[in-house]
Amino acid sequence: MPEPDAPPPAAETAEFPLSTPSRYRAGFVFRVALLASAVFMSVALVFSALVWWRLGDFVAARTDQEIEQEVIEQRANFAAGGVERVAEQARVLEDSGERARLLIQLRERDGTLIAGPRLNFGSPPPPGWSEAAARPPWAHGRIPFRILTARLPDGRRLVVARDVREDRNIVAALSRDVMLGGLLAAALSLAAGWFVSRRIARRLAAVNTAVVQVMEGDLSGRLPLSGSGDELDRLLRLINAMLERLESLMVGLRRVSDDIAHDLRTPLTRLRQRTEAALERPRDQTLDRKEFEGIALEADTILETFAALLRIGQVEAGARMAAFQRFDLSAALAETCDTYEPILADAGGLLETRIAPGLELFGDRLLVEQCVVNLFENALRHGGPSPHVELSAHRRDGVVEVVVRDHGPGIPREELSRVFERFYRLDRSRSSHGSGLGLSLAAAVMRLHGGRIMLDNAQPGLQAVLTFPAARQ
């Protein structure tokens, strides 16, 4: 077990130490960039080998075609002028010396040379295609030749040999250029991969800093966006939305906790004092019953306040959005009015309604009904001895408006903006029953539904206008 006074272990946090090359090389981003560069280099090398192979085939095919064409021409010469004509062509090419790329030999059936240069093949070329190095009289060394030995109609052999030094030099030069281009492209890809990985690593380092800030309790921190709109930006935008949601939840929780700690302290203290006073005085059944009924009423008020605070916290945190669905607002308002019409009649009042049919909303029906109920309760409590309440609902310009109006004294204009604060009550209302949370809950419900609530003095009375976005048809 650790010592009682031992300091708690430090929280582990991920870091991106860009200034440490060894740790940078071990980073995931750099490994990905290196892998991408290796793949690109492999592709470049394979492409170079393919180009070299295809280029060699092309040059060889062109050479063979040239030799075959020469064989066809010499057979035509033989048909036109016999052996003398072919021998003459062989001498012409021989006299061209080093400039001649094609050489012709005329040989007997046994391979003995009749006409043409002595190329010193070592042995007569076999019939068909072959390759051999030879040393013409004008050359200082042996030269590679591509050779085709064909049979003439009289049985003699026609040997056509082509110097392939230039072809091989072309293939070698092009292959070298392609290889150098591939290596250059691979080097550029490695440099580009390094640059991109450094850029991503810097962005991740900034994200790491912001995440550490959030882990340390500062929920106002947000992950930085580059503004490029790439996949990483979209991911970070979603994370920021999650952080905003988390911050709103924590703020709501802190607010509810503060409200419970501060605003329930006075009624709880008063409840304790009344209980202690009842316990200290001599027992009297009538007085005790009256006192305990008052204590029970005080406890009910505290429980109602506590429940209202929790509901406001849930609404402001958006916890009730999971219950959103399309519902018939007209029917919901009619049911609420049916409930309160006899209550107002018993109080000597009147309820007038004008509800357009077919109004629909997308939201939480119970919360919307609670919002309207709170307005009815305010109208009952502050509408005078014979409360007269009017409710109308209609659709206009893509929104649904619900208007609740009473004929009471209204609210002083300087206090209209404060009645939505929690536990705020007008001076004339402090002696009446209530917690001062009804309008706070109504405002939270409207914000949850993307709407708004507005209060105004109707002279006489107070008018509350609830504006909801209408459900899409």
Side-chain angles (χ1 to χ4, degrees):
M1 295 180 59
E3 297 296 331
D5 56 350
E12 295 184 0
T13 57
E15 295 183 356
F16 297 88
L18 298 180
S19 60
T20 308
S22 61
R23 295 187 66 181
Y24 174 72
R25 286 194 295 270
F28 170 75
V29 174
F30 181 77
R31 291 199 302 270
V32 171
L34 187 62
L35 177 61
S37 299
V39 171
F40 186 85
M41 185 179 299
S42 301
V43 172
L45 292 176
V46 171
F47 176 76
S48 300
L50 181 63
V51 169
W52 175 82
W53 177 62
R54 295 294 297 170
L55 183 61
D57 283 353
F58 171 76
V59 173
R62 188 187 62 175
T63 300
D64 289 352
Q65 184 179 6
E66 186 178 349
I67 294 173
E68 289 174 344
Q69 184 63 35
E70 185 65 26
V71 170
I72 293 173
E73 291 180 2
Q74 295 307 322
R75 281 178 170 169
N77 287 334
F78 179 83
V83 174
E84 292 76 10
R85 184 76 173 266
V86 176
E88 181 183 356
Q89 290 294 321
R91 285 191 294 272
V92 171
L93 292 175
E94 181 181 6
D95 292 342
S96 299
E98 191 171 354
R99 294 175 299 171
R101 298 177 61 187
L102 274 173
L103 296 175
I104 298 176
Q105 287 183 334
L106 188 62
R107 292 177 178 269
E108 292 289 353
R109 294 178 180 87
D110 59 359
T112 303
L113 181 64
I114 301 175
R118 295 184 178 275
L119 298 178
N120 300 319
F121 288 120
S123 61
W129 290 101
S130 62
E131 292 185 2
R135 182 177 180 181
W138 62 84
H140 299 289
R142 299 182 72 81
I143 296 174
F145 283 93
R146 176 73 168 164
I147 305 168
L148 176 59
T149 303
R151 191 176 297 276
L152 294 175
D154 63 353
R156 292 184 177 90
R157 297 180 183 179
L158 174 67
V159 179
V160 179
R162 187 182 184 281
D163 182 357
V164 293
R165 287 178 301 175
E166 183 179 349
D167 295 344
R168 293 185 178 181
N169 290 337
I170 291 174
V171 172
L174 290 178
S175 299
R176 183 173 59 253
D177 292 343
V178 170
M179 184 67 68
L180 289 177
L183 293 176
L184 178 60
L188 291 177
S189 71
L190 184 62
W194 179 84
F195 173 76
V196 172
S197 65
R198 290 280 292 183
R199 182 180 178 185
I200 295 177
R202 287 193 182 95
R203 291 181 65 183
L204 292 180
V207 171
N208 178 73
T209 302
V211 170
V212 170
Q213 181 182 354
V214 172
M215 290 173 59
E216 292 175 349
D218 184 5
L219 296 179
S220 63
R222 296 293 180 267
L223 305 184
L225 304 177
S226 67
S228 61
D230 57 10
E231 290 80 1
L232 184 57
D233 258 12
R234 290 196 290 270
L235 174 62
L236 296 181
R237 191 174 292 110
L238 288 176
I239 295 176
N240 284 338
M242 180 186 69
L243 290 175
E244 290 177 4
R245 175 71 172 154
L246 180 61
E247 183 183 17
S248 66
L249 290 175
M250 295 304 296
V251 169
L253 178 61
R254 190 179 300 115
R255 184 178 301 167
V256 170
S257 301
D258 292 343
D259 289 342
I260 292 174
H262 292 88
D263 298 304
L264 293 183
R265 182 178 303 165
T266 299
L268 286 173
T269 301
R270 186 166 58 247
L271 182 64
R272 177 181 177 82
Q273 290 173 349
R274 293 186 64 175
T275 304
E276 290 177 347
L279 291 174
E280 289 176 357
R281 71 166 178 262
R283 300 273 66 79
D284 182 288
Q285 186 175 1
T286 303
L287 292 178
D288 287 348
R289 182 177 180 82
K290 182 178 181 181
E291 188 65 25
F292 285 127
E293 286 178 351
I295 291 174
L297 181 61
E298 191 79 30
D300 288 341
T301 302
I302 293 174
L303 290 174
E304 290 175 3
T305 302
F306 186 76
L309 285 173
L310 290 180
R311 176 168 289 190
I312 292 175
Q314 289 179 342
V315 171
E316 290 184 340
R320 299 290 294 269
M321 291 186 70
F324 274 27
Q325 60 183 355
R326 195 183 188 99
F327 69 94
D328 189 339
L329 177 64
S330 299
L333 293 176
E335 291 178 9
T336 302
C337 292
D338 289 342
T339 301
Y340 272 86
E341 188 172 10
I343 297 176
L344 284 166
D346 291 343
L350 176 65
L351 175 60
E352 296 183 15
T353 60
R354 295 184 301 277
I355 303 174
L359 299 177
E360 291 188 339
L361 291 183
F362 182 77
D364 189 320
R365 173 171 176 163
L366 294 179
L367 287 180
V368 173
E369 289 178 347
Q370 182 65 56
C371 180
V372 177
V373 164
N374 288 354
L375 296 178
F376 275 167
E377 290 291 338
N378 281 342
L380 272 171
R381 193 174 298 121
H382 308 295
S386 299
H388 179 195
V389 182
E390 301 175 15
L391 182 142
S392 63
H394 57 276
R395 183 186 182 107
R396 183 179 62 185
D397 299 332
V399 299
V400 174
E401 285 188 351
V402 178
V403 180
V404 179
R405 177 188 174 185
D406 62 41
H407 290 259
I411 297 176
R413 181 165 296 277
E414 62 274 10
E415 295 189 76
L416 279 174
S417 60
R418 299 196 59 191
V419 293
F420 295 110
E421 299 175 8
R422 298 181 188 181
F423 298 104
Y424 185 81
R425 304 183 71 185
L426 300 177
D427 291 337
R428 65 171 180 265
S429 304
R430 297 189 182 278
S431 59
S432 62
H433 178 71
S435 62
L437 294 172
L439 290 178
S440 298
L441 177 59
V445 170
M446 295 306 298
R447 286 194 296 270
L448 180 68
H449 287 78
R452 65 179 184 274
I453 179 172
M454 298 180 62
L455 298 180
D456 198 8
N457 287 307
Q459 297 177 353
L462 181 70
Q463 176 175 280
V465 180
L466 308 178
T467 305
F468 296 91
R472 294 181 179 178
Q473 298 297 327

